[in-house]
Amino acid sequence: MTGKLRVFLGAAPGVGKTYAMLREGRRLRAEGLDVVVGLVETYGRRGTEEQLGDLPVLSRRPVSYRGTELTELDVEALLARRPALALVDELAHTNVPGGRHAKRWQDVRELLDAGIDVATTLNIQHLESLNDVVEQITGVAQRETIPDEVVRAAERIELVDLSPQALRARMAQGEIYAPDRIDVALDHYFRAGNLGALRELALLWLADRVEEELADYRARHGIRAPWETKERIMVALNGAQQGEHLIRRGARTAARVHGDLIGVHVRLDDGTTQREPPGLAAQRALLRELHGSYVEVSGGDPARALVDFARSESATQILLGPTSRSRLRELVSGSVINRVIRLAGPIDVRVLPPPEPGLLTVPPAPRRRRPALVPVRRRRMAWLFGPVGVAALAWALSPLRGSLGLSGVLLCLLLVVAGTARLGGLLPAAGSTAAGALAADYFYTTPWHSLTVDRGADVAALLVFLAVAGVISHLIDGLTRRSQQAGRARAEAAVLTRLAGETVESGPRVLPDLVAELRQVFGLDAAAVLVRTGAIWQPAASAGAEVPLRPDEASFSVDLGDDAVLVLRGAPLNEEDARLLGPYVTQLKLARERERLAAQASAAEVLAHTDALHTALLEAVGQDLRAPLAAVRQEAERMPGPGGQRVGAEVERMERLVANLLDLSRLRAGVMPVVLRPTVVAEVVRSAAEGVPGVRVDLEPGLPRVLADAGLLERVFADVLAWGSAGSGAVVDAGVVAGRVAVRMAVRMAVREDPAREPAGLAVVRGFVEAMNGELTVEEAPGGGTAYVISLARAVA
């Protein structure tokens, strides 16, 4: 029989996991259970040591590693002792090489296989799946990790929770780390933001495990009805305009009950190629903004697909909008809403009415008309010559009425109808068909020259003529439209190919040329790019007459970003025009970006010239100061007593400042190279601290190497530490923050006349740090003084 695993999970060290484990062990021992402490780490914490109480503690197994005596969990002794419950601390611990297993969780698994129950502790940062997320949050890479499935297999996981404020208070009171590590811990790993993020991460991971256990339980017991453990609001989307209203209503409902929002679109799997509804992309974006999720499912029956998905996700409510089907279509294929209500069972179904027109945030989109692809001139010609031509042909063939008959004349008229459809489209062809039927009735049916028909065969022939003429006109009109659409597609492809080719060959085009070409391609009255400066819009490029000077004056506008907008005036754009407009908008953005980069390059050139003058001035001033300082040094050496020593110290400080200024000017001029190499921070700090009184170096072992110039970095450390030599000394510590190495120098300087004034040379030190791609920040140190934090990039191993 396999033993049971119980895990005490914490968000960070110090929340009380070991304390809780030992307290539970004492409770179970008081109830008569055989409990043994296999291994526990108290770290000298008094409260944890007190919880050991009368629990029997198994001796650890000694291990010798590289001349050092260490101890590990004695698995063999536990197996021989066979307690009912073994308490084993720090599940993610890596064992000393050469032992029974490489990881402690493997030791625990052997105990479980032997039928021994185990209680253990674990921090959330040691889970394998969360390792990279924790490193992004804290900047510390966890080398000791444990597979998630080991922890998920536990019979019970108990979260030991403590608020970030309470945990930081424990840290400040010395209940977690030694006093010399408290400041570094509070400033780095134990920052309030880090602890809050880790706490949320632990709660989310534990919630996912609860969801998995609930789903497994329902699957094992064949439970299909949803359990309202958590509200899940499902919104059915079909791309219609009221979908956004449904999403917002669903989001408000989910927010009130702290539930989930899911948008579902059903794609029919009837084998046909379906275009995405026009409003679906906007609804997906709205779902993301309202922290909902979007899912697409396929099925032949939309109602059953919606209900099946709702059951699989344990949805508690289904929100439907009003139907857009006609009465005739509902009679033929049925109502989706009614089928969802019948199939939903215990799931609540809400059918929301359409929003009131006054509550719409945007005006409803106009009905999309079928584009008139035939030119206006051709349509007019077809209307003029089609009906007239049919009537004229019927009159001209009337002398041959005896030989042609009604059927022969109708075939001749059908040829004219087909020509009319090819020339002007469907509507002129319909007019010609009607005119042809009336003319055939007038000239070729008895009684002659009247619109009445005596014979049933003539009525049938006229009806067949109307039907055949209508079918032929529809087919010819469709072929004409397809041909014109194919021509338009070829033209669009040619435009896109040319735009792409010009971009690859010569980069983004000039803004005025693009605006002029855009106006010509789309046949617009005017086009312009407007840029907002404050409350005023100014045209950056324009083409055409009566250019809109504000976005609200345009027929159509597109946001280009950075307070710029493309405005168009003219005929409204159809769907094909909008699709072709996208590449032009991209080209306009590239052209604006190119102009911005050109302006930056010009400004950088001016700045470089100014910087060169500044460097030359520093060189001249530095050279001129050397001689007076040397003279002052000589006079100070002749002065007796402390006064001469004080003057000499100040002269030395001035000489160092002048040297730093000269080196900084050389760095900016590129004369003095900065060679960045992997550098050991501890060695540089100790070298800089030699001879400086009152400096305490407190660096953690195993600090990563940094990418820096060792000589320049030593000068930076020496200058900062020198500021504290005249005061109460300095404390140097370091750690990894957000993937970078941060060296923190807390300096307590002597009181000056102006305490708010920055120390002389701070600008020079900052320049040196930035030359090594680092950052220098100044903050208040705990206990008084100033902390100078130098952040450097880690060297790649």
Side-chain angles (χ1 to χ4, degrees), residues 539-609:
S542 61
E546 298 183 4
V547 175
L549 298 180
R550 294 180 57 84
D552 51 11
E553 297 176 359
S555 306
F556 189 79
S557 62
V558 179
D559 186 18
L560 299 178
D562 296 332
D563 291 331
V565 63
L566 170 66
V567 293
L568 308 175
R569 171 176 286 172
L573 302 181
N574 55 33
E575 184 179 352
E576 289 80 5
D577 293 335
R579 186 173 62 248
L580 183 59
L581 184 63
Y584 274 101
V585 171
T586 302
Q587 287 285 325
L588 290 171
K589 291 181 179 179
L590 290 174
R592 279 186 46 77
E593 182 67 15
R594 187 179 187 182
E595 290 182 353
R596 186 183 66 82
L597 292 176
Q600 287 183 351
S602 177
E605 188 175 340
V606 174
L607 185 61
H609 180 68

Side-chain angles (χ1 to χ4, degrees), residues 142-456:
Q142 295 293 334
R143 295 181 177 85
E144 293 184 327
T145 58
I146 180 172
D148 286 44
E149 57 267 18
V150 175
V151 186
R152 290 185 185 276
E155 183 197 38
R156 182 176 176 184
I157 300 177
E158 181 175 332
L159 181 66
V160 183
D161 192 25
L162 195 64
S163 68
Q165 293 76 17
L167 184 55
R168 283 174 58 85
R170 288 194 63 196
M171 174 68 73
Q173 293 166 7
E175 297 180 10
I176 301 176
Y177 287 168
D180 57 347
R181 298 178 58 191
I182 292 176
D183 287 345
V184 177
L186 290 176
D187 290 343
H188 298 93
Y189 193 93
F190 283 80
R191 288 182 296 180
N194 288 358
L195 297 177
L198 292 173
R199 186 188 189 198
E200 183 177 0
L201 201 61
L203 291 170
L204 290 174
W205 187 88
L206 199 60
D208 288 341
R209 183 179 182 273
V210 173
E211 289 286 343
E212 292 174 2
E213 290 182 349
L214 182 61
D216 291 342
Y217 179 86
R218 294 180 61 207
R220 287 196 307 269
H221 292 78
I223 301 171
R224 298 196 60 187
W227 285 1
E228 298 185 9
T229 55
K230 184 178 183 180
E231 288 287 339
R232 287 183 174 86
I233 314 300
M234 194 185 94
V235 179
L237 304 175
N238 61 359
Q241 184 189 359
Q242 62 265 20
E244 296 187 3
H245 173 61
L246 291 177
I247 293 171
R248 292 189 173 91
R249 285 286 297 272
R252 290 196 294 270
T253 304
R256 283 195 296 268
V257 298
H258 302 286
D260 297 332
L261 175 65
I262 308 173
V264 181
H265 171 67
V266 178
R267 189 178 296 276
L268 297 178
D269 56 358
D270 53 4
T272 60
T273 302
Q274 301 177 22
R275 297 181 62 182
E276 182 177 280
L280 202 57
Q283 292 170 11
R284 281 198 299 267
L286 181 60
L287 269 171
R288 287 194 297 269
E289 292 177 6
L290 298 177
H291 306 291
S293 58
Y294 172 80
V295 179
E296 277 193 11
V297 297
S298 60
D301 184 356
R304 182 165 294 280
L306 287 171
V307 174
D308 288 345
F309 179 82
R311 285 176 178 158
S312 66
E313 294 295 319
S314 296
T316 55
Q317 296 185 38
I318 300 177
L319 268 61
L320 302 174
T323 181
S324 58
R325 293 186 172 189
S326 63
R327 293 292 181 87
L328 178 60
R329 189 176 177 186
E330 285 194 356
L331 289 175
V332 174
S333 56
S335 169
V336 175
I337 295 176
N338 292 338
R339 280 185 54 77
V340 169
I341 294 174
R342 285 197 300 269
L343 296 173
I347 305 175
D348 294 341
V349 180
R350 298 171 58 193
V351 182
L352 302 182
E356 298 180 13
L359 299 178
L360 287 174
T361 56
V362 294
R367 293 180 59 88
R368 183 169 174 263
R369 298 179 179 178
R370 191 176 184 183
L373 299 177
V374 181
V376 176
R377 184 178 178 184
R378 285 178 53 180
R379 291 204 307 273
R380 290 175 179 174
M381 290 178 61
W383 276 110
L384 177 62
F385 294 108
V388 175
V390 167
L393 180 61
W395 173 78
L397 295 177
S398 60
L400 304 177
R401 181 169 47 202
S403 57
L404 284 176
L406 179 60
S407 58
V409 170
L410 291 177
L411 286 175
C412 296
L413 298 181
L414 194 60
L415 182 63
V416 179
V417 171
T420 304
R422 181 67 182 85
L423 177 64
L426 187 60
L427 291 180
S432 299
T433 301
L438 293 175
D441 181 18
Y442 187 80
F443 288 110
Y444 295 94
T445 62
T446 56
W448 314 114
H449 305 105
S450 70
L451 297 180
T452 59
V453 183
D454 290 339
R455 298 171 53 193

Side-chain angles (χ1 to χ4, degrees), residues 42-65:
T42 62
Y43 296 107
R45 299 168 187 167
R46 186 177 59 185
T48 306
E49 292 175 347
E50 291 175 353
Q51 285 300 315
L52 276 170
D54 57 350
L55 289 172
V57 180
L58 198 68
S59 299
R60 301 190 184 190
R61 179 174 59 89
V63 180
S64 179
Y65 180 68

